[in-house]
Amino acid sequence: MTEIRHDIRNVAIIAHVDHGKTTLVDALLKQSHTFRENQEVGTLIMDSNDLEREKGITILAKNTSIRHGDVTINIIDTPGHADFGGEVERVLNMADGCLLLVDAAEGPMAQTRFVLRKAFEVGLRTIIVINKVDRANADPAQTLERVHDLFLELAEDADQLEAPVLYTIAKEGRAGLAPGALGPDLELLFQTIIDHVPAPVVEQGGFQMLVANRAYDDYTGTMAIGRISRGSIAAGNTVAVLAGEGEPRRVKVVQVLVYRGLDRVSVPIASAGDIVLLTGLEDVAIGDTLADPEAPDALPRIEIEEPTVRMTFGVNTSPFAGREGRFSTTRQLRARLYKELDTNLGLHVSDTDVAERFLVSGRGELHLAVLIETMRREGYEFEVSRPEAIIKVIGGQRMEPVERLTVDVREENVGGVTEALGKRRGEMIEITYDKKGGVRLEYLIPTRGLIGFRNTFLTLTAGNGLMGSIGIGYRPWVGEFREQRNGALTASSPGTSLTHGLAAAQERGTTFIEPGEEVYEGMVVGVQKRPGDIRVNVCREKKQSNVRSSTSDISVRLTPASRLSLEQSLDFLADDELLEVTPKHLRLRKRHLTEVDQSRARRVAEAARG
């Protein structure tokens, strides 16, 4: 016999990146009186990670809860970027319904399709929320039409097509049934969640819970997070841990915690339908089932889509190795990468035939870039190679990952963008013009065609374009293509860069460093104006002479250095280059630093091809 818990609603908020999920959660928390009247809480409350606040995107899925009348609404805030799709996949099974948030100006984007498909696969009831209806170029009617088209394309049964529609301005905390008739608050949204999201169904039997997430606290240690699907749990109870293989093992639950706003509150007992944090379970992994030892029934493990991009992480081998990082040995790097697998389900790590290098695979460039930046901030020092798409042989045929790319540009930029994507083997499947001079292009493109494209795209659109992509599986290999990058300016000798040397280098191209920076032979100090690498002496001093010149006192004027961010550096890398990552610096370098080593490597590569 089953019963229904009418006092709980479990809801996930899903959307494309930057469509307003975290801002809406802010407004829901504030209007549910989660905080004291005089409490300063700021904005983007759920983005607690420094990296999330800097980038302005949600990277990790997080939980909170609010009270509305007699009902507790558990909210799961999910990432909106396709590279963090693994975070979405593993937490949706904790919810019974979802808010699909769509920007009224941009409409459904690539990640909107992905998250909606995942929501339908686990059977969530959907509420459509058209957000940012106050934007100057908002078109709520057309956005809703596109959302309905997406529903018709992705829905797995007729019931999923019935979704209420609300219009909001999350920044102002207002919602309504029509774009021009918003209420003063989000009361309508609260009520729609309670009315439309199904209450949890409680199955009879012993305790059962799937671990969907893990958290760590200095005081309580590791916490297993999940939704109880059957039975109840109390502090001091013993549970069986059912991992992927092996015999169940017994562990004792020390504490049972639930979310109350942003806090975790200890409770004596929790029942089916509750989202809980259990402490005392040190070696429990995401995807494990916790069950009653007398009836250890396993739940299906969380299925995560395979990685599509990989790169090597290695111990820093530059002449500056060991100067700036606290952790720089092979053992420390290996331990950190394998530890990341505990919580980052979309990531794969494997050893290579070289002890100091590891092959790390992820869902996209940004997925790997966030790992690199996180490790860098923790004090690690290492070097990484250029990202590359993972190619497979399936049924004797060479296959490569393909993505569906959505690009929004101004009409005058269409020519340049289509030409660039055509060179990268992109296949246009749809083009849509709006009344305000904007164009939306939809492409199928190999993942390797998108590696390094972001910088080109920003240049072509003068920073005014929007792009988003989502993996759609493997397709037959479409053939070779070579994106021509201009040659690198590499330092010909070690030392400290000087104005005179940099001025000479700037006659050849754009430099990446300022005077007074230490360089080593083989370090990439700039990019030249045409293909082919050039060695430059940026440490050269101006020769002193006793002949006076009328212009000798005029100082050399340098163009400011073009500083590359981490993502731009990864995009810039060529196959024969590495990125040296330390807590203080990002340095581009040649894989082989000296001219002799580079010539030897070229001969070896030619012999292998021949």
Side-chain angles (χ1 to χ4, degrees):
M1 181 177 168
T2 58
E3 59 178 272
I4 295 175
R5 286 194 63 178
H6 293 287
D7 62 329
I8 289 181
R9 298 292 185 276
N10 295 319
V11 62
I13 298 190
I14 58 175
H16 184 78
V17 65
D18 204 29
H19 279 200
K21 293 178 306 302
T22 308
T23 306
L24 185 65
V25 176
D26 280 3
L28 289 168
L29 284 165
K30 289 171 182 174
Q31 291 191 23
S32 61
H33 305 296
T34 301
F35 309 109
R36 300 187 310 274
E37 291 296 326
N38 62 345
Q39 190 172 348
E40 282 288 328
V41 292
T43 58
L44 302 179
I45 303 161
M46 294 292 283
D47 283 348
S48 50
N49 180 311
D50 287 343
L51 209 50
E52 291 180 316
R53 286 187 170 274
E54 285 173 28
K55 290 186 175 293
I57 60 172
T58 302
I59 294 170
L60 303 171
K62 303 178 199 65
N63 298 65
T64 186
S65 90
I66 54 179
R67 290 284 294 176
H68 189 77
D70 299 327
V71 178
T72 297
I73 302 173
N74 290 315
I75 297 174
I76 305 153
D77 185 19
T78 65
H81 200 287
D83 285 19
F84 309 109
E87 293 283 319
V88 179
E89 288 168 286
R90 66 183 169 84
V91 296
L92 286 186
N93 61 11
M94 291 196 284
D96 296 298
C98 65
L99 303 182
L100 177 71
L101 217 64
V102 185
D103 188 306
E106 293 176 16
M109 295 286 282
Q111 178 72 352
T112 313
R113 174 186 298 273
F114 172 78
V115 292
L116 184 60
R117 189 177 83 234
K118 291 297 173 188
F120 282 159
E121 281 174 9
V122 295
L124 300 189
R125 296 295 295 274
T126 310
I127 298 169
I128 300 168
V129 180
I130 311 285
N131 190 31
K132 304 188 184 182
V133 295
D134 58 330
R135 282 185 65 173
N137 55 344
D139 190 342
Q142 188 186 23
T143 298
L144 182 58
E145 195 176 313
R146 286 181 177 174
V147 172
H148 282 152
D149 289 344
L150 206 54
F151 268 63
L152 287 168
E153 184 184 334
L154 300 177
E156 300 193 345
D157 62 58
D159 288 349
Q160 291 175 332
L161 296 174
E162 295 177 19
V165 181
L166 297 180
Y167 299 88
T168 61
I169 303 174
K171 199 163 58 175
E172 297 176 7
R174 299 167 61 207
L177 292 172
L182 301 188
D185 52 30
L186 294 173
E187 179 58 35
L188 185 63
L189 181 57
F190 282 115
Q191 206 53 54
T192 306
I193 291 171
I194 292 168
D195 294 343
H196 189 74
V197 174
V201 175
V202 178
E203 294 180 34
Q204 297 302 305
F207 172 72
Q208 191 183 44
M209 178 183 115
L210 185 71
V211 179
N213 207 347
R214 283 170 32 128
Y216 184 81
D217 181 85
D218 291 335
Y219 179 65
T220 57
T222 303
M223 293 176 274
I225 304 171
R227 172 182 161 178
I228 302 173
S229 55
R230 197 175 71 191
S232 59
I233 188 75
N237 283 6
T238 299
V239 297
V241 179
L242 288 81
E245 61 260 345
E247 288 294 308
R249 54 190 176 83
R250 296 188 173 207
V251 291
K252 187 176 179 182
V253 175
V254 176
Q255 256 187 320
V256 179
L257 306 168
V258 296
Y259 289 97
R260 292 285 180 266
L262 300 181
D263 299 323
R264 300 160 179 160
V265 178
S266 178
V267 293
I269 190 167
S271 305
D274 285 322
I275 293 175
V276 296
L277 306 92
L278 305 179
T279 69
L281 315 177
E282 289 300 322
D283 297 321
V284 172
I286 293 170
D288 289 354
T289 300
L290 307 179
D292 184 341
E294 305 306 317
D297 304 326
L299 289 161
R301 289 188 78 81
I302 300 167
E303 292 294 326
I304 301 291
E305 291 187 5
E306 290 291 305
T308 56
V309 174
R310 67 186 178 195
M311 65 200 306
T312 59
F313 281 54
V315 172
N316 189 7
T317 57
S318 90
F320 295 169
R323 289 191 186 183
E324 298 170 0
R326 286 189 296 137
F327 311 110
S328 57
T329 67
T330 305
R331 181 182 58 79
Q332 290 167 333
L333 180 62
R334 187 179 193 280
R336 176 63 182 84
L337 288 172
Y338 278 95
K339 180 174 178 285
E340 184 70 17
L341 300 179
D342 289 347
T343 52
N344 199 336
L345 290 200
L347 199 74
H348 288 192
V349 178
S350 58
D351 294 346
T352 65
D353 50 5
V354 180
E356 296 83 19
R357 281 195 215 122
F358 307 94
L359 194 62
V360 182
S361 309
R363 295 283 279 271
E365 280 179 276
L366 186 62
H367 187 196
L368 296 172
V370 165
L371 172 63
I372 293 168
E373 184 62 34
T374 303
M375 289 174 60
R376 175 190 179 196
R377 292 180 183 207
E378 290 170 2
Y380 285 84
E381 181 179 311
F382 51 97
E383 63 189 24
V384 297
S385 69
R386 182 177 192 263
E388 61 176 16
I390 298 172
I391 311 300
K392 293 182 178 179
V393 176
I394 303 171
Q397 189 173 16
R398 198 178 187 194
M399 309 284 274
E400 64 177 330
V402 174
E403 305 197 23
R404 186 184 179 116
L405 173 69
T406 304
V407 173
D408 285 332
V409 295
R410 303 300 302 164
E411 209 165 326
E412 58 268 23
N413 302 136
V414 170
V417 171
T418 52
E419 183 184 354
L421 288 170
K423 286 180 183 174
R424 293 165 175 264
R425 298 298 178 107
E427 177 192 330
M428 188 188 292
I429 53 176
E430 193 176 333
I431 181 166
T432 313
Y433 292 83
D434 68 26
K435 298 164 189 167
K436 301 183 176 95
V439 183
R440 170 164 294 185
L441 306 168
E442 301 253 352
Y443 275 84
L444 290 183
I445 186 168
T447 297
R448 63 195 166 102
L450 284 179
I451 293 172
F453 178 64
R454 188 175 286 110
N455 284 348
T456 305
F457 180 71
L458 288 172
T459 304
L460 289 171
T461 61
N464 292 320
L466 281 171
M467 62 178 273
S469 65
I470 193 73
I472 58 170
Y474 277 76
R475 300 277 175 90
W477 172 266
V478 295
E480 292 290 350
F481 61 84
R482 198 70 203 156
E483 180 64 23
Q484 192 68 50
R485 190 202 81 183
N486 288 351
L489 300 174
T490 61
S492 60
S493 59
T496 302
S497 60
L498 297 171
T499 304
H500 188 65
L502 282 173
Q506 288 191 350
E507 291 175 10
R508 301 292 190 97
T510 304
T511 53
F512 297 156
I513 61 170
E514 298 282 5
E517 292 188 35
E518 281 194 276
V519 298
Y520 51 81
E521 184 181 1
M523 179 171 152
V524 176
V525 294
V527 58
Q528 73 139 330
K529 296 170 183 174
R530 50 183 64 87
D533 297 341
I534 300 178
R535 294 167 68 81
V536 292
N537 184 2
V538 292
C539 306
R540 190 174 67 183
E541 295 182 65
K542 185 177 180 184
K543 292 283 185 286
Q544 301 295 322
S545 78
N546 59 2
V547 179
R548 297 194 62 176
S549 161
S550 59
T551 58
S552 64
D553 295 331
I554 298 173
S555 61
V556 176
R557 293 260 176 115
L558 286 180
T559 306
S562 176
R563 296 290 190 186
L564 300 186
S565 67
L566 174 58
E567 286 89 349
Q568 288 171 328
S569 299
L570 292 175
D571 278 355
F572 179 84
L573 282 176
D575 292 335
D576 66 338
E577 292 167 357
L578 296 169
L579 176 64
E580 178 187 351
V581 180
T582 76
K584 295 181 182 175
H585 291 99
L586 296 171
R587 298 185 186 96
L588 293 158
R589 51 161 287 193
K590 287 295 176 183
R591 197 180 286 268
H592 303 284
L593 297 178
T594 66
E595 260 187 307
V596 174
D597 287 344
Q598 287 168 16
S599 301
R600 188 181 297 131
R602 272 197 300 272
R603 287 198 299 273
V604 170
E606 284 166 10
R609 282 199 298 270

